Amino acid sequence: MSDQSNLNEIAIQKEDFSLADEVFLLEKDNLTDGAVVTFTGRVRNNNNGNSVTTLTLEHYPGMTEKSLAKIIIQAKERWNIGRVKVIHRIGELSIGEQIVFVGVTSKHRQDAFAANEFIMDYLKVKAPFWKKEKITDAGQASENWLAAKNSDTDKAELWS
Amino acid sequence: MIKIVFFAALREQLNCAELSLATDDNTKTVNDIKQLLSDKNEQWQQTFCNTSLLSAVNHDMVDGNHLVKSGDEVAFFPPVTGG
């Protein structure tokens, strides 16, 4: 088990990513891990009853990478996991587009399942990303910064 | 010099992405800096009344009592909403 995180495990990018390519890289030359757990987050077409047209992601360059690296190190300390990959997109995204990817491998499934959920839960409350949505509410278009959800904070606290 | 950066809704409300603060001999906490920024004008004062604002120093989340020194980068931003 490694207590190190490295930059290859984290990507902050405008471009889309391929789930198949990411799974390939998690599995390539990795004959010790029997479990591969992946999570992908996508842009929904609705939020709080309004129609969403696009989502724009802003982040804090430098701090984003540092906070994700810390989360990955914590996951490696807690569970017996092999490879980790976290991808988060920034910029303007349309409905149905992929936003975030978390992939974790481990010998057996329990560690990869738990570590993947932990990384996502901590990313939600600790990594400096902000979402702004363009919505249409009764034909009226507007832009809103999303408010943080208490349910995300509560969920993350369950791990402490 | 202390570099101060703002993000997301806060950056838009202040219409400011970053500024520099000259340092003097007095030791300052993150809360002291917040107070200095609030004193700028009524708009900034109202904006910094928001108690849910988070702060980071040199890319690590910190609380208001954290000491800031010359050369540090201090960030203020709303609760995060990524993922």
Side-chain angles (χ1 to χ4, degrees):
Chain A
M1 193 164 36
S2 166
D3 60 354
Q4 298 280 308
S5 177
N6 62 67
L7 288 175
N8 297 334
E9 295 177 322
I10 298 163
I12 312 298
Q13 60 190 50
K14 283 202 167 92
E15 307 78 50
D16 197 9
F17 53 86
S18 154
L19 187 54
D21 288 354
E22 294 309 324
V23 171
F24 174 80
L25 290 170
L26 289 168
E27 293 178 348
K28 191 185 175 207
D29 303 325
N30 179 356
L31 304 177
T32 52
D33 291 338
V36 181
V37 172
T38 67
F39 170 83
T40 310
R42 300 167 67 228
V43 182
R44 269 179 294 128
N45 70 355
N46 65 91
N47 192 29
N48 300 324
N50 299 316
S51 295
V52 176
T53 51
T54 60
L55 204 57
T56 304
L57 266 298
E58 176 174 330
H59 81 124
Y60 181 1
M63 181 173 172
T64 312
E65 292 82 354
K66 194 174 180 180
S67 65
L68 290 174
K70 267 198 258 179
I71 295 169
I72 292 171
I73 288 169
Q74 283 178 280
K76 287 180 175 177
E77 283 167 356
R78 239 170 129 150
W79 292 281
N80 191 3
I81 54 178
R83 295 185 187 173
V84 178
K85 181 76 189 230
V86 177
I87 304 173
H88 205 299
R89 293 181 67 197
I90 50 170
E92 190 172 279
L93 303 174
S94 307
I95 309 303
E97 281 199 74
Q98 304 184 117
I99 307 170
V100 60
F101 170 83
V102 177
V104 181
T105 71
S106 62
K107 285 188 179 61
H108 306 287
R109 72 183 184 285
Q110 288 87 348
D111 288 306
F113 267 130
N116 193 305
E117 190 174 17
F118 168 87
I119 291 169
M120 246 342 271
D121 287 351
Y122 267 42
L123 180 156
K124 280 270 183 189
V125 297
K126 292 180 189 292
F129 292 101
W130 300 274
K131 287 190 186 115
K132 187 189 223 181
E133 59 178 13
K134 282 190 186 146
I135 58 162
T136 355
D137 179 16
Q140 201 71 19
S142 63
E143 288 190 350
N144 300 310
W145 287 100
L146 294 194
K149 289 190 221 129
N150 290 333
S151 58
D152 285 334
T153 314
D154 295 345
K155 181 68 172 61
E157 273 171 11
L158 293 177
W159 295 107
S160 56
Chain B
M1 223 50 149
I2 295 167
K3 183 180 175 188
I4 306 178
V5 291
F6 309 102
F7 290 95
L10 181 65
R11 172 176 47 76
E12 288 188 353
Q13 282 157 16
L14 300 173
N15 194 25
C16 177
E18 71 172 80
L19 56 82
S20 294
L21 198 69
T23 39
D24 51 32
D25 291 339
N26 298 325
T27 314
K28 286 188 187 61
T29 64
V30 168
N31 278 340
D32 293 336
I33 289 177
K34 219 189 249 189
Q35 187 57 51
L36 279 172
L37 296 170
S38 297
D39 292 344
K40 218 170 147 82
N41 62 43
E42 204 173 328
Q43 160 81 29
W44 284 56
Q45 189 180 3
Q46 277 177 11
T47 307
F48 279 98
C49 276
N50 182 350
T51 53
S52 68
L53 287 180
L54 301 175
S55 45
V57 172
N58 300 334
H59 297 164
D60 285 315
M61 215 87 93
V62 296
D63 64 24
N65 299 320
H66 187 93
L67 289 175
V68 179
K69 55 187 189 313
S70 183
D72 281 352
E73 178 170 306
V74 182
F76 294 102
F77 45 79
V80 302
T81 55

